[in-house]
Amino acid sequence: MESGKLETRLGPLAWQSSGTGPVLVFYAGALANHDLWRDVITPLKDHYRCVAVDLPLGAHPWPLQKGADRSAASLAGLIPDSLELLDVRDATVVVNDTAGGLLLLSLASGHPALGRIGRLVLTNCESYDQFPPDSLKKASSMSRAFPRLTREAIRLQIRLQRRSRAARRRSLGSLAATGVDRERIESFSGPGIRDRRVVGDLVAAMAGFRPQLLVDAAAEIPRFDRPVLLIWGEECGFFPMPYARRLASDFPRATLVPGPGAKTWVPVDNPAAVAEALAQFVPLQVR
């Protein structure tokens, strides 16, 4: 296992890498990090190089630098930026939740490092007018109007998740059908509890989320000519299956694999199925 920092234009991003072979690069969404993919990476690292990059979405170890541009477009650029800094080519980029929305937004940026993507894997994530999803639009508005209050409310929530099983069921039950283990809870919540600036980065990001951004960026989806795999939890309340079907229809070379019983965090609910789908999608001898 290797780990380190990527020194980006906005501040440091943490990364971890294990295994050798064709490159898979994983990104998690809001209030999650590399540990979201832990049980997916374990069976894959014998045959693939698995790299996980922590985006600044509330579970990252170091806050962004003071004055960093935390607009949605700027944060979306961190995905191709990180591929460039990692110096990977023909990479399979795997995203979940907010990271998926940022990836879709980045497709419209014209960033030269987008050429480093050989394949794309979307699990349940934001798309089209769901940026943020309908159930989180109020939270996005609160982030714009009352950022400090929203930041402290989120920090209180993650403290309660650590202490109370009932609080975990209420907040994380909408994300994972199988529950979230203690190790992940500590990994996801620790950075925001230790440093309020970490949660502040998430609040600033949420404040910049607007549906029209992804509606406009969706024009680039039919132009993405590389293979795309969608692994979609069928029980997700944030991003229902019709959005996956629409994405699968709009990408020219897309395959949709439903995840029965899984919610938003399909890599937590059914990691074996995600790993198997990835292994079938990415040949060991990449052209």
Side-chain angles (χ1 to χ4, degrees):
M1 170 79 74
E2 296 179 82
S3 62
K5 291 182 181 180
L6 298 176
E7 296 295 344
T8 78
R9 58 193 162 77
L10 303 183
L13 300 185
W15 63 271
Q16 296 189 359
S17 176
S18 55
T20 58
V23 180
L24 313 176
V25 187
F26 298 84
Y27 300 89
L31 294 174
N33 56 29
H34 59 277
D35 274 319
L36 183 80
W37 301 103
R38 180 192 68 201
D39 298 334
V40 174
I41 290 172
T42 296
L44 292 173
K45 64 185 179 182
D46 290 341
H47 302 289
Y48 299 89
R49 182 187 175 199
C50 299
V51 184
V53 179
D54 292 345
L55 294 173
L57 296 171
H60 51 298
W62 311 294
L64 295 179
Q65 63 195 20
K66 187 175 181 180
D69 179 1
R70 296 176 293 183
S71 66
S74 177
L75 295 176
L78 288 176
I79 294 178
D81 285 351
S82 62
L83 298 177
E84 192 167 53
L85 290 167
L86 290 165
D87 194 24
V88 296
R89 289 175 173 80
D90 204 17
T92 298
V93 172
V94 190
V95 292
N96 177 257
D97 194 22
T98 321
L102 294 176
L103 184 280
L104 292 172
L105 185 58
S106 77
L107 295 183
S109 69
H111 196 299
L114 291 171
R116 294 173 180 264
I117 300 175
R119 290 166 177 78
L120 180 58
V121 179
L122 301 170
T123 63
N124 299 62
C125 66
E126 293 165 312
S127 61
Y128 305 109
D129 63 342
Q130 298 299 290
F131 190 59
D134 289 337
S135 57
L136 294 179
K137 283 182 167 58
K138 182 177 179 180
S140 184
S141 297
M142 288 288 292
S143 296
R144 287 191 287 272
F146 307 105
R148 292 186 181 180
L149 178 62
T150 305
R151 180 192 66 196
E152 294 311 312
I154 293 173
R155 295 183 76 223
L156 175 60
Q157 177 186 350
I158 59 179
R159 283 195 183 96
L160 290 173
Q161 289 172 9
R162 275 183 155 190
R163 299 172 186 169
S164 165
R165 184 176 297 177
R168 288 194 293 275
R169 282 198 301 268
R170 285 194 303 270
S171 58
L172 300 180
S174 60
L175 294 167
T178 57
V180 182
D181 59 88
R182 172 63 67 175
E183 185 178 351
R184 276 197 179 97
I185 290 169
E186 292 295 321
S187 177
F188 294 170
S189 64
I193 290 174
R194 290 191 295 270
D195 191 334
R196 59 172 40 91
R197 293 174 298 174
V198 167
V199 178
D201 287 339
L202 170 63
V203 171
M206 291 169 57
F209 294 169
R210 288 175 172 81
Q212 194 62 43
L213 292 171
L214 280 193
V215 170
D216 292 342
E220 292 301 314
I221 292 175
R223 301 188 181 106
F224 189 84
D225 60 357
R226 282 146 279 175
V228 176
L229 176 66
L230 294 101
I231 310 171
W232 215 266
E234 292 186 320
E235 303 303 318
C236 178
F238 292 107
F239 314 110
M241 282 297 296
Y243 286 92
R245 296 189 189 101
R246 182 178 175 186
L247 284 165
S249 176
D250 287 351
F251 277 110
R253 302 174 62 189
T255 301
L256 172 60
V257 177
K263 294 187 176 180
T264 309
W265 284 354
V266 63
V268 173
D269 283 338
N270 203 338
V274 175
E276 181 180 357
L278 282 168
Q280 292 178 0
F281 182 59
V282 185
L284 291 177
Q285 297 299 324
V286 178
R287 292 184 290 108

